[in-house]
Amino acid sequence: MIVLRVFEYGFLHAMASRDDPYTLRFPEAAVIYFNRKNDILKEKPLHISFGSQGSFDYQVKNFVYLKHTVKELEQMGMSILIPFQALRLRRLLERQYPSPTAKRPANASPAFSSEEFSRLQDEIRHDIIESIDNNFRAGNLTEDDAGQLLDLTSLLYEHIQNHFYDKQEGDVIDLKPFFPGTIELPNDKYRLQIAELKEEISKYADENSRFADEIIRYAAENAKVADENAQLKARIAELESKQNAH
């Protein structure tokens, strides 16, 4: 139910960004697919009923990433996703080493030579790196962004290539799936550590605030007790004075 989640994200965004208490402006949302399944529709509707006020079809666009070239992605302002062009390499490998149980379409492209495969691999890598460099020079990416995108490109290539294991000639080469945490940028662990430190600092700040409140309360109680002691001493002195007078 990804479309339902997108609607929820849109609602939360509209609530957080509204400039009119009686108006909600939903963002133009889209779901990005990194595979190339042919059964993905251009849009996915969510039917919303307002009872007697009528109903509305909330449409969420579907964006199939690998159907678009690097140039098209740049024109759409999606240069941050350029490293995922490396997934084209996975499709090349799947085409080169198809599963023996898979049905090959009649119009499927034939396998290619190792030289052609190497050329296509270099072409993909060149497209990605050139795009990152061009966007950095154009000011669309910061130096840190560009560095992380290059790191991500290398990690994606490494994952795809390392998880194809060679067997005997003629056997299938399998690709292991992505799992959460499979691709981790060098900066990711530092960001996590920073987030943990910030959380710890916040916890200590809350404790310090609580201790400060307690100190203030104790100080007020001490001042009250000191005032009562002073009053008692004054009363004792008064009684002693009267006693001495008699």
Side-chain angles (χ1 to χ4, degrees), residues 153-177:
T153 300
S154 298
L155 288 169
L156 283 167
Y157 259 87
E158 183 180 353
H159 171 79
I160 292 170
Q161 291 177 319
N162 288 351
H163 288 78
F164 269 89
Y165 55 89
D166 294 327
K167 292 185 177 181
Q168 298 287 331
E169 185 176 357
D171 284 350
V172 68
I173 293 184
D174 296 329
L175 175 64
K176 303 296 181 184

Side-chain angles (χ1 to χ4, degrees), residues 84-100:
F84 289 98
Q85 286 291 314
L87 295 176
R88 288 164 55 197
L89 175 62
R90 182 171 67 178
R91 291 189 57 78
L92 292 177
L93 288 168
E94 289 170 345
R95 174 183 157 195
Q96 186 75 352
Y97 305 100
S99 169

Side-chain angles (χ1 to χ4, degrees), residues 4-18:
L4 187 60
R5 291 171 56 194
V6 172
F7 176 79
E8 182 182 10
Y9 298 152
F11 171 74
L12 294 175
H13 176 81
M15 286 291 292
S17 61
R18 72 187 190 278

